C-alpha cells in the first residue's frame, strides 16, 4: 500500500513515534512536481553515507543533534538550526544523538554555482 502524502492545506504532525528511532522510520510527508518534504529520522548509530540529491536541499534539525558533512566541512545542527545545500552537492549525515530532521528537496533542473541574490542590496557589501 502506497504512503498517503499530505494534501495542500492539510496539517502535518512532525513528532516521531516511540519506535521511529529503532526502526529508522523516515517518511515522505508531501510530494509535488517541484518539491518533496521528508521527516528524516537519524539514529546515533546509523549514519547516512555520503550521497547526492539532484535537487536543492534544506535540512532543519527538529530534535537531537546531527552533523552534516558537505563542502569539505562538518557542521553541527541542533534544534531550530538549518542548512541549505545546492543540488548535486555530495553530503553525509550522522547524529551525535538520535535526531529528527525536516528535509525539503526542490525537484527540477540542477542549478550550478552559489545562491542567487535579488532585490534591494543584492551584491552590495555592507
Amino acid at each position: 500500500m502506497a504512503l498517503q502524502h499530505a494534501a495542500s492545506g492539510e496539517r502535518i504532525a512532525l513528532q516521531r513515534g516511540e519506535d521511529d528511532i529503532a526502526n529508522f522510520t523516515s517518511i515522505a510527508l508531501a510530494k509535488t512536481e517541484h518539491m518533496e518534504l521528508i521527516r528524516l529520522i537519524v539514529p546515533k548509530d546509523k549514519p547516512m553515507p555520503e550521497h547526492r540529491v539532484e535537487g536543492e536541499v534544506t535540512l532543519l534539525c527538529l530534535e537531537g543533534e546531527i552533523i552534516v558533512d558537505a563542502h569539505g566541512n562538518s557542521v553541527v545542527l541542533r534544534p531550530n538550526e538549518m542548512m541549505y545545500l545546492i543540488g548535486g552537492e555530495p553530503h553525509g549525515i550522522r547524529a551525535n544523538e538520535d535526531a529528527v530532521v525536516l528535509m525539503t528537496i526542490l525537484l527540477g533542473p540542477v542549478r550550478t554555482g552559489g545562491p542567487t541574490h535579488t532585490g534591494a542590496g543584492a551584491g552590495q557589501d555592507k
Side-chain angles (χ1 to χ4, degrees):
M1 186 168 138
L3 174 69
Q4 180 66 38
H5 293 116
S8 178
E10 186 176 358
R11 180 179 46 205
I12 300 172
L14 294 176
Q15 71 273 13
R16 63 180 171 87
E18 292 180 18
D19 64 346
D20 284 347
I21 292 291
N23 295 318
F24 195 68
T25 308
S26 296
I27 60 171
L29 302 169
K31 186 171 183 177
T32 69
E33 182 181 353
H34 302 288
M35 183 253 337
E36 186 168 11
L37 189 62
I38 300 167
R39 187 198 66 190
L40 185 64
I41 303 297
V42 187
K44 182 178 180 179
D45 60 346
K46 293 185 181 178
M48 292 181 70
E50 185 174 280
H51 61 283
R52 296 172 193 254
V53 176
E54 184 177 320
E56 296 170 316
V57 174
T58 64
L59 299 165
L60 171 62
C61 185
L62 299 172
E63 181 180 323
E65 184 176 288
I66 63 169
I67 302 167
V68 181
D69 298 309
H71 295 286
N73 295 310
S74 296
V75 177
V76 174
L77 296 179
R78 295 178 182 89
N80 300 314
E81 295 180 337
M82 69 183 299
M83 174 182 283
Y84 156 77
L85 294 171
I86 191 85
E89 177 62 34
H91 62 281
I93 302 171
R94 51 198 161 101
N96 280 336
E97 57 187 70
D98 294 341
V100 179
V101 178
L102 181 62
M103 178 169 63
T104 303
I105 304 171
L106 298 181
L107 306 171
V110 175
R111 214 176 76 191
T112 58
T116 301
H117 299 282
T118 59
Q124 296 178 2
D125 293 331
K126 300 209 181 230

